[in-house]
Each structure stands twice: as structure tokens, then as C-alpha cells.
Amino acid sequence: MKDRFSIGSEQYAAFRPLYPQAFFEYLKTIIPNPETAWDCGTGNGQVAVALSVFFKRVEATDISEKQLQQAVQKDNIHYSIQPAERTTFQDNTFDLIIAAQSIHWFDFEAFYDEVNRTGKNGALIIALGYGLFESIPEIDRIIRTFYQTEIGPYWDAERRYVDENYKTIPFGFEEMQAPTFAMHYRWNYEHLMGYLNTWSAVKNYEKTNGINPVTLIKDELKTLMQDRTYDIHFPVLLRIGRILK
């Protein structure tokens, strides 16, 4: 299993975008009995915290102890270091199993075996994520060249599932038609730099070459953005399935 997010976990907590509240409001309408949820690959627990508002109990797992150290603590959230493919949870435990910006890292077959084992009959399995953001054309041009050319070779192979909007991940469940959601922000230069430094390809590049590749574009972006804020839009990736036994 790959751990790409223990290094710089503080940046991840500070600069990664939050999923829209509208998604969680929608989730309430399709889960009639929100008793127990599993947030798999929870990272710093942002989805677990949102689920804890309306689920009685949330189990949140990750393989990164450093990520979990950044997580917000709630009485009804239990964090644990466990791989997605092999947990200590009992059979037929969960009403919801969700993997947010993480499912593409998993061994699909082993993870889905665990989903079918630990999910209740009729429970939901959700693959949630977000793709490459868009802003003004000038920012988009810089970011896309950076993404595809300068750090392109340093993305792990699993990144292709994100680029393909999760449409190509194996998903052998009774699938529900999912609504469309998006995340909208106003970011300044500092926040954008902080976010770019959380990218796994940036960390891979730095580990290989000994320099942070974000420095290659920082001056150009600073000159363009100056002290202003800009609209940043992320597409939300979403697959919803039902576990049937």
C-alpha cells in the first residue's frame, strides 16, 4: 500500500478543499437510518466530521498515523490505523461506506470484499473525489502545463482514475444515478501554493530530484495573481452503489 500523504500532513489539513454541504444534505435523503458509517482513507477526517453530524457512530480509518494526528476529534468518531482491504470490523456493521479521494489507491478486489463483508444488506458504498480545478484561463494554462508536463511523469499510475472522473474504476454494485456537485472557492496566491504542495506528484518529484517543483511556477503565478483572490472550481467525482446480499 502506498502512503503519499504522511509527509506534509499539516498542509493537507490546511489547504485541501472541503466537500460541499449540499452533498451531505443529499446523503441524508438517501440513508433512512444513519446509524454507523465507515470513512475509509479518512486522511485528516474532514468527511468523518461531516458524517458525525447525522450518523450515530463513525469509524474512520487510514494507513497514515500522521494524517490521523491532524484529525478533528468528536465523541462519535473513532479513528484507527487500518488498511482499506483488511479491517477488524465485524460483519454487517455499516449503513454507509465512503472513500473520499482515496479509492483509486486501494486494491479494488480486496477492498470490495471488505465492503461486502462489513456493509449491511442495502447499505451504500460511495466513491467520492474531486478532479483538477479550473480558474481564469491564465491560471489554468500555467497549472495544466505544470500538471501534465513538468510533474506529469511523477503521478502514480492510480491518478488516471481521477483524470477519468472515476468513471473507469471497477464498481460492481447496483449503481444509483448520482447528482452533480461542485466545490467553489476564492483563493489567493498563498492558498493555491499551499494546495499545490499537497499533490502526490509534487512529493514524488521532490523525492527524486531534491527540489520542490512548485518553485518552477511560483514567480509566474505570483506575478499573475498578485494580492488578489480568484474563483477556483473543483468538479466533484461521485459513484454511488448499493450493497445487496
Side-chain angles (χ1 to χ4, degrees), residues 206-219:
E206 186 170 17
K207 183 177 180 180
T208 300
N209 299 296
I211 63 169
N212 184 334
V214 177
T215 60
L216 302 175
I217 59 170
K218 69 173 186 177
D219 291 340

Side-chain angles (χ1 to χ4, degrees), residues 91-93 115-122 243-245:
D91 295 355
N92 303 307
T93 295
V115 167
N116 283 308
R117 182 184 71 80
T118 62
K120 297 176 182 177
N121 184 40
I243 301 166
L244 299 176
K245 301 184 178 183

Side-chain angles (χ1 to χ4, degrees), residues 21 28 48-56 58 74 76-77:
Q21 185 58 34
K28 293 177 185 178
V49 170
L51 294 176
S52 72
V53 175
F54 58 102
F55 273 87
K56 291 184 179 179
V58 178
K74 297 284 185 179
N76 61 334
I77 302 177

Side-chain angles (χ1 to χ4, degrees), residues 17-237:
L18 299 175
Y19 294 99
Q21 185 58 34
F23 165 73
F24 296 102
E25 293 301 322
Y26 167 72
L27 205 53
K28 293 177 185 178
T29 70
I30 60 174
I31 301 180
N33 298 303
E35 296 285 334
T36 309
W38 173 19
D39 178 20
C40 186
T42 190
N44 57 41
Q46 61 161 272
V47 168
V49 170
L51 294 176
S52 72
V53 175
F54 58 102
F55 273 87
K56 291 184 179 179
R57 181 167 65 93
V58 178
E59 293 287 345
T61 62
D62 205 280
I63 61 171
S64 171
E65 181 178 6
K66 290 185 178 180
Q67 280 283 349
L68 294 180
Q69 288 171 351
Q70 302 296 320
V72 176
Q73 303 298 311
K74 297 284 185 179
D75 289 343
N76 61 334
I77 302 177
H78 176 249
Y79 294 101
S80 59
I81 302 174
Q82 299 195 68
E85 300 85 354
R86 187 178 67 257
T87 71
T88 59
F89 301 131
Q90 294 183 353
D91 295 355
N92 303 307
T93 295
F94 299 109
D95 302 283
L96 168 69
I97 299 172
I98 187 168
Q101 201 70 353
S102 58
I103 198 169
H104 53 284
W105 295 109
F106 301 163
D107 178 317
F108 293 118
E109 183 176 358
F111 173 58
Y112 290 149
D113 284 347
E114 197 70 349
V115 167
N116 283 308
R117 182 184 71 80
T118 62
K120 297 176 182 177
N121 184 40
L124 294 186
I125 165 69
I126 295 181
L128 179 67
Y130 50 87
L132 184 62
F133 68 87
E134 293 183 348
S135 186
I136 63 172
E138 294 82 357
I139 292 176
D140 290 347
R141 175 186 58 79
I142 297 169
I143 295 301
R144 273 157 179 71
T145 299
F146 179 68
Y147 181 93
Q148 296 169 357
T149 303
E150 289 165 337
I151 63 170
Y154 296 90
W155 288 108
D156 291 274
E158 294 89 343
R159 180 70 189 185
R160 72 177 180 87
Y161 292 112
V162 176
D163 291 336
E164 294 162 356
N165 299 317
Y166 276 3
K167 292 178 180 178
T168 56
I169 63 171
F171 203 70
F173 300 92
E174 181 181 84
E175 190 157 4
M176 300 170 55
Q177 184 66 38
T180 299
F181 298 97
M183 301 182 292
H184 306 286
Y185 296 95
R186 293 283 298 183
W187 280 3
N188 59 16
Y189 167 81
E190 286 74 19
H191 198 119
L192 180 56
M193 289 296 99
Y195 171 66
L196 294 178
N197 275 294
T198 69
W199 282 3
S200 60
V202 167
K203 297 171 185 177
N204 290 341
Y205 184 108
E206 186 170 17
K207 183 177 180 180
T208 300
N209 299 296
I211 63 169
N212 184 334
V214 177
T215 60
L216 302 175
I217 59 170
K218 69 173 186 177
D219 291 340
E220 187 178 10
L221 277 174
K222 179 62 175 176
T223 299
L224 172 63
M225 299 179 71
Q226 300 184 31
D227 295 323
R228 298 186 292 269
T229 60
Y230 293 84
D231 289 326
I232 303 289
H233 307 286
F234 289 89
V236 171
L237 318 180

